[in-house]
Amino acid sequence: MHSSSPESVTPAVARRAVLGAAAAAPLLAGLAAPQASASTRATGPSTAPAKSRRLRGGGDLGPNVLVFDPSTPGIQAKLDEVFARQESAQFGTGRYALLFKPGTYQGLNAQLGFYTSIAGLGLSPDDTTIHGDVTVDAGWFGGNATQNFWRSAENLALYPANGTNRWAVAQAAPFRRMHVHGGLDLEPTGYGWASGGYIADSRIEGQVGPYSQQQWYTRDSAIGSWLNGVWNMVFSGVEGAPAQSFPNPPYTTLDSTPVSREKPFLYADRGDELRVFLPQKRVNARGVTWGNGTPRGTSLPLSRFYVARPGVTAATLNQALAQGLHLLLTPGIYHLDEPICVHRPNTVVLGLGYATLVPEGGTTVMKVADVDGVRLAGFLIDAGPVNSPTLLEVGPRGAWRSHAANPTTVQDVFVRIGGAGAGRATTSMVINSRHTIVDHTWIWRADHGTGIGWDTNRADYGLVVNGDDVLCTGLFVEHFNKYDVQWYGERGRTVFFQNEKAYDAPDQAAVQNGPVKGYAAYKVGPDVATHEGWGLGSYCYYNVDPTIVQHHGFESPTRPGVRFHDLLVVSLGGNGQYEHVINEAGTATSGTSTVPSTVVSYP
């Protein structure tokens, strides 16, 4: 994460304080479990393996899922109580989902802290209307929004109290399926530093003002207008987006998104019966999915899901999957002593309130077979203290089947190594299955918190793509000891990439890659014939040894089929420098001015 000057909306360097892990705390007093329908309230999940009996789907969503309707008394007080607990709990254990049944709510200001998700329970955002705000600001951190991670807003219509809603977030904070009847400001009060972010399937009637936001990706949405850009603003399939103009202003604009399929979401059918909606795939997508009534797709009743609670074993989760159930992970932290194995086509694994999966003993957290249509969404993977070779594997090595008609999607699935405690993983995420869509991820080797250090939270590689025809939309990967992204599959595409190299390299020798100075942030394998990327940025801030030099931010074979559009590298305040942008192309960064070096087209 990094900072920019609030006064001039130009980059400058200011560092974030190092925060320790917050202590665990009891559940909020007076906040009751949600009221489910009789059909789903009757059976809660077991937390122990049950080899001798068949597991049942459905069940109560637990005490950290708070469900409101317009007649619920004291909604604002409950929202404030959750926020007070989560506002600065960056590495705490609390996890919350705030769900609003369809209807109209007056005079609310839902301030969101860490690990808090707010969502409407309608089929359309317009089914659940708040006359008020869903707010993220940075008062807890002195007006600096660069650490406002791990929170989300989905499926609501807002009429902001003063005409403009504030959403000052950094990474891993999606704004999905939202309808803002007014403007949207992406900077904190006082125009402090900001480093985000992601919007999808949303309509903002007024102006979006990023102000100090250094980078942003907006997909398949509609906006009234867009105010400005700092380094890297990328749009695909956005009605009202500014015209292509990189690097000045730094707008990368694609008329449509090549392939997209929106994230699964909970909704209430016939009153209290909860279902999970599964949006259909779109090709060359543009605009929102819900603009003309009911969105297109299918749905599943909650009874088809094993509703998991913290404390459940990996064996029980795998038994549920083997029985044909999907997984709904309620808010909390799950410790897993073996991988969750997804073998069945069209399986859904959906997390609520940043459900967090932690491997024990160096295991992989999740493995997906080479099958059609798996949907992974809405959870955080937190590396454990014993090194895991990998944390998430989509498809086995050598996967070859075509999934063009029904791809696997990985959406709002985030990975963290260190920060909440020592964590280690050689490779965070591996994509082997063809046609996989990775739609918004933040893969982060922590640069602050507890359990951090060059060899303490060692993690060599962020994302490795071996499968062909993989698409990444909204890719954030940061601070890995070696390559942040390695791409070996054919016909890969990335729309928007944000990266920082590891801050804490002790010296040049620690990052020396044979004869090359430093490991590229994004490397395309030497044998790849076809690849394309739009709007990719890499930043360096070597704060231990500011004399470290990166030869380039991007590395690829030089051939006509491998193409890049709108690349940049930035040295933050002169703490390290880049000699080139991609391969031998692009001018070197220099001095302390934090001015990007750009390449508009390569080769």
Side-chain angles (χ1 to χ4, degrees):
M1 301 322 27
H2 37 272
S3 306
S4 65
S5 166
E7 292 83 5
S8 60
V9 201
T10 57
V13 172
R15 305 315 321 142
R16 298 165 298 184
V18 175
L19 302 181
L27 295 178
L28 294 179
L31 294 186
Q35 295 301 304
S37 67
S39 62
T40 60
R41 192 169 53 240
T43 58
S46 168
T47 58
K51 300 296 185 182
S52 61
R53 63 182 177 84
R54 188 169 181 83
L55 298 174
R56 297 182 64 180
D60 192 285
L61 299 183
N64 285 25
V65 177
L66 310 180
V67 180
F68 305 102
D69 65 42
S71 65
T72 303
I75 296 176
Q76 186 64 57
K78 292 180 180 180
L79 296 176
D80 291 345
E81 197 172 355
V82 173
F83 178 65
R85 183 169 295 277
Q86 299 302 113
E87 179 183 10
S88 58
Q90 180 170 183
F91 298 112
T93 58
R95 305 286 188 273
Y96 293 93
L98 312 173
L99 305 182
F100 286 75
K101 293 180 183 179
T104 300
Y105 300 79
Q106 299 288 343
L108 296 181
N109 181 19
Q111 300 181 83
L112 300 187
F114 287 98
Y115 313 109
T116 305
S117 298
I118 187 171
L121 289 174
L123 265 180
S124 166
D126 291 330
D127 294 339
T128 310
T129 299
I130 293 177
H131 289 265
D133 298 87
V134 172
T135 302
V136 177
D137 210 338
W140 74 278
F141 199 43
N144 181 344
T146 60
Q147 291 184 24
N148 281 349
F149 314 137
W150 305 306
R151 63 203 74 197
S152 66
E154 301 184 47
N155 206 29
L156 294 165
L158 302 178
Y159 286 84
N162 68 354
T164 301
N165 191 74
R166 186 176 303 282
W167 186 254
V169 298
Q171 284 74 13
F175 196 80
R176 289 183 180 269
R177 292 178 56 80
M178 297 289 286
H179 188 183
V180 181
H181 295 267
L184 184 67
D185 280 358
L186 305 178
E187 93 295 347
T189 301
Y191 303 95
W193 298 297
S195 177
Y198 176 91
I199 293 171
D201 201 23
S202 294
R203 181 179 297 278
I204 292 89
E205 301 289 353
Q207 181 182 76
V208 180
Y211 297 98
S212 53
Q213 283 286 357
Q214 294 160 340
Q215 69 281 317
W216 201 277
Y217 175 52
T218 307
R219 177 181 64 72
D220 299 351
S221 294
I223 61 175
S225 62
W226 190 273
L227 179 63
N228 72 291
V230 176
W231 291 337
N232 190 30
M233 302 287 157
V234 180
F235 310 84
S236 66
V238 178
E239 298 169 357
Q244 170 71 33
S245 58
F246 187 90
N248 187 26
Y251 299 148
T252 298
T253 303
L254 285 70
D255 186 66
S256 61
T257 303
V259 186
S260 65
R261 188 174 68 189
E262 298 304 328
K263 179 184 171 184
F265 61 91
L266 275 176
Y267 74 101
D269 185 35
R270 296 191 300 276
D272 283 339
E273 182 181 349
L274 289 177
R275 300 179 68 88
V276 174
F277 192 81
L278 308 176
Q280 73 175 22
K281 186 188 78 171
R282 297 200 292 170
V283 177
N284 296 323
R286 181 173 173 82
V288 300
T289 62
W290 46 268
N292 296 313
T294 303
R296 294 183 178 180
T298 59
S299 70
L300 295 168
L302 198 63
S303 61
R304 295 279 303 278
F305 285 79
Y306 180 75
V307 179
R309 301 273 195 91
V312 70
T313 65
T316 297
L317 296 175
N318 283 324
Q319 182 188 352
L321 290 169
Q323 288 179 193
L325 293 171
H326 306 274
L327 297 183
L328 186 71
L329 306 173
T330 63
I333 299 174
Y334 298 73
H335 293 271
L336 306 171
D337 60 359
E338 63 181 77
I340 299 172
C341 295
V342 180
H343 294 294
R344 183 170 45 87
N346 302 310
T347 298
V348 180
V349 180
L350 176 62
L352 300 180
Y354 286 81
T356 302
L357 309 179
V358 182
E360 301 287 344
T363 190
T364 297
V365 167
M366 188 175 295
K367 295 183 177 182
V368 180
D370 191 18
V371 295
D372 275 355
V374 173
R375 304 183 195 228
L376 310 179
F379 55 88
L380 170 64
I381 296 173
D382 204 356
V386 178
N387 185 73
S388 294
T390 59
L391 292 171
L392 173 63
E393 296 178 12
V394 179
R397 182 76 180 182
W400 57 271
R401 293 181 174 87
S402 173
H403 306 294
N406 186 12
T408 286
T409 47
V410 181
Q411 298 176 284
D412 300 347
V413 173
F414 309 116
V415 178
R416 178 175 69 193
I417 296 115
R424 297 169 67 92
T426 304
T427 303
S428 292
M429 186 182 298
V430 180
I431 307 295
N432 293 318
S433 286
R434 294 181 62 193
H435 301 101
T436 299
I437 301 171
V438 180
D439 175 45
H440 190 226
T441 187
W442 184 38
I443 305 172
W444 184 52
R445 176 181 169 265
D447 61 283
H448 63 275
T450 60
I452 63 165
W454 184 248
D455 291 310
T456 305
N457 63 327
R458 183 80 190 187
D460 284 350
Y461 310 110
L463 172 68
V464 175
V465 179
N466 297 312
D468 294 340
D469 306 292
V470 171
L471 170 66
C472 290
T473 53
L475 179 59
F476 300 75
V477 188
E478 298 191 296
H479 303 156
F480 285 84
N481 294 80
K482 293 184 178 180
Y483 292 111
D484 298 276
V485 173
Q486 296 176 88
W487 206 302
Y488 299 108
E490 287 290 351
R491 296 175 299 280
R493 292 175 290 185
T494 294
V495 184
F496 180 89
F497 171 68
Q498 187 262 325
N499 165 265
E500 280 183 345
K501 297 302 299 173
Y503 291 173
D504 55 346
D507 50 38
Q508 186 74 48
V511 296
Q512 192 69 17
N513 183 13
V516 180
K517 298 173 185 174
Y519 291 82
Y522 188 110
K523 175 185 176 178
V524 179
D527 298 326
V528 172
T530 305
H531 187 91
E532 195 159 11
W534 297 262
L536 284 68
S538 177
Y539 322 146
C540 73
Y541 182 78
Y542 288 113
N543 62 353
V544 175
D545 181 359
T547 69
I548 290 175
V549 174
Q550 280 279 132
H551 183 70
H552 46 222
F554 303 90
E555 178 183 343
S556 77
T558 302
R559 54 176 59 104
V562 180
R563 297 175 293 172
F564 288 92
H565 316 273
D566 302 355
L567 301 172
L568 70 145
V569 296
V570 180
S571 167
L572 301 178
N575 291 275
Q577 301 289 349
Y578 294 89
E579 292 180 325
H580 301 283
V581 178
I582 179 168
N583 296 343
E584 308 299 317
T587 59
T589 59
S590 63
T592 61
S593 59
T594 317
V595 174
S597 177
T598 62
V599 167
V600 174
S601 181
Y602 185 87

